[in-house]
Structures are given as structure tokens and as C-alpha cells.
Amino acid sequence: MLAEHTVRPLRVVHDSGATIDLAAAERAAGEFLSALGVGLDDEHLRATPGRMARAYAELFTPRPFDLTTFPNDEGYDELVLARRIPLRSVCEHHLLPFVGVAHVGYLPGDRILGLSKLARIVEHFSCRPQVQERLTKQIADWLASNLSPKGVGVVIEAEHTCMTLRGVQAVGTTTVTSTMLGTLRDDARSRQEFFSLTGIAP
């Protein structure tokens, strides 16, 4: 029997309300490529619509995980920061990838988070058509709501291929977004510490 103070892990799953129909996606991908003048009769391209459908299905499906937290028995009240978490998502305007890193930190309250879960949360919100600004805020808001820390900070640095491979073709350009909540927003010294540890000048 569980002790009264034991907290069950929160099971985190992505539920968009829609199911993935790979067969329909493959047909649509074939029609899409044909409409753009890409012939699919060549042996090298014949299986491309199926690969394309499976690739996007993978990009849009985060892995479920348990949000494991532990009592902050020692009363640790300094910053916990995971730097350079690999990030990949898809721009919702062009469905082209954007890739980069996320720096995610928090000031603990009554509970601390299993460190690997910071990367899991980044993946959870990245695996869907996104804009970087929304993604940054979703990660921070979710941590604030589910962990109740004293503060949360999220910074994302990413290169958007919709900007570097097409249109303006600004190769090498990165976009930086940030969300600060609680003490990390209200206290200048805490905010400065967060940005200093991420290696980004505020």
C-alpha cells in the first residue's frame, strides 16, 4: 500500500483527438508529389510517398512518458537547468523542419523533477506543427502548472529551414525565444543567473 505522501507519476500522452491513417497519408503524399511534377515511376522514388507519410507521422507523434517528481527533502532552492536539449519540430506554416536546442530551468518548490523529464517535455510539445514562440511558452506554462516551482525559464535557439532553404534563404540564421515565469521573471538577479548559465546574454 502506498504511503499517504507518495505521489503517483503523471502519465503524459499526446492526444490530438485524431488518429493517424498512414494509408491515406501515403496516397495523399503520392498525389502531392505528382502534382508538383515529381514522377514516381522511377525505382528510387516509387516508395517515397510511404516513407514521407511515415516520416511525418513520426514527427507528429511524441513518445508517452511518466512525469516523475520527488520530494524536495533538502529544501534545494537554487536553479536547476538542463542546457542544450536537442529539439526538432515542424513549422506549421510550411511544414518544413526547424531544429535547435532548448535550455529549460526551474527554481524548485516542494518537489523536484527527474532530470530526463525536461527533455521529454520539450519533445512532447515539439512533435506537432508549431511556431517557436508558442512552443517556448507551452513548455514553461506546463512546467509551472504541473510542478508548481518558484520560477521557470525556457530559452529556445533554432534554425528554421522555411527561412534558410526557401524565401529569403538566410542561411545560418537562428531564432531565439524565451519565457520567464515566477521569480525568474520578477527578480533581475535570478533572471541574470539563468541567462548567464545558458550562455545567452539577456
Side-chain angles (χ1 to χ4, degrees):
M1 182 173 180
L2 289 172
E4 289 184 1
H5 65 274
T6 301
V7 176
R8 293 179 182 274
L10 172 65
R11 188 64 170 169
V12 181
V13 296
H14 175 59
D15 182 12
S16 65
T19 57
I20 293 176
D21 186 338
L22 281 176
E26 181 174 349
R27 290 192 299 272
E31 292 175 3
F32 173 73
L33 292 170
S34 295
L36 290 176
V38 179
L40 300 177
D41 294 331
D42 187 282
E43 183 179 351
H44 297 287
L45 292 168
R46 201 169 295 143
T48 294
R51 296 189 191 102
M52 185 175 165
R54 291 189 296 276
Y56 274 97
E58 181 179 334
L59 287 171
F60 295 160
T61 309
R63 294 169 291 182
F65 68 97
D66 292 323
L67 184 69
T68 311
T69 66
F70 306 94
N72 187 10
D73 292 332
E74 288 74 26
Y76 184 83
D77 60 0
E78 298 294 333
L79 187 64
V80 177
L81 174 66
R83 297 189 300 179
R84 302 193 62 80
I85 298 170
L87 175 148
R88 59 147 175 79
S89 191
V90 177
C91 161
E92 70 179 28
H93 300 134
H94 301 94
L95 288 191
L96 289 173
F98 63 92
V99 296
V101 295
H103 312 284
V104 183
Y106 71 98
L107 291 167
D110 293 334
R111 300 191 69 78
I112 56 176
L113 183 67
L115 290 177
S116 67
K117 308 311 177 188
L118 293 173
R120 294 286 199 180
I121 294 162
V122 170
E123 177 187 316
H124 177 75
F125 287 104
S126 299
C127 287
R128 62 192 72 177
Q130 272 287 15
V131 296
Q132 186 173 326
E133 298 88 340
R134 182 196 306 126
L135 173 59
T136 308
K137 193 167 188 312
Q138 284 177 332
I139 295 168
D141 287 346
W142 199 90
L143 278 170
S145 175
N146 288 277
L147 191 59
S148 299
K150 295 175 182 177
V152 174
V154 178
V155 173
I156 292 177
E157 305 174 76
E159 179 175 327
H160 293 249
T161 57
C162 60
M163 183 177 175
T164 59
L165 298 182
R166 56 159 300 282
V168 70
Q169 297 184 21
V171 177
T173 300
T174 57
T175 299
V176 179
T177 51
S178 68
T179 295
M180 303 289 123
L181 301 176
T183 301
L184 290 178
R185 181 182 184 92
D186 300 332
D187 182 72
R189 291 177 63 184
S190 296
R191 187 168 61 251
Q192 176 63 43
E193 179 187 11
F194 176 84
F195 281 113
S196 175
L197 290 174
T198 62
I200 297 176

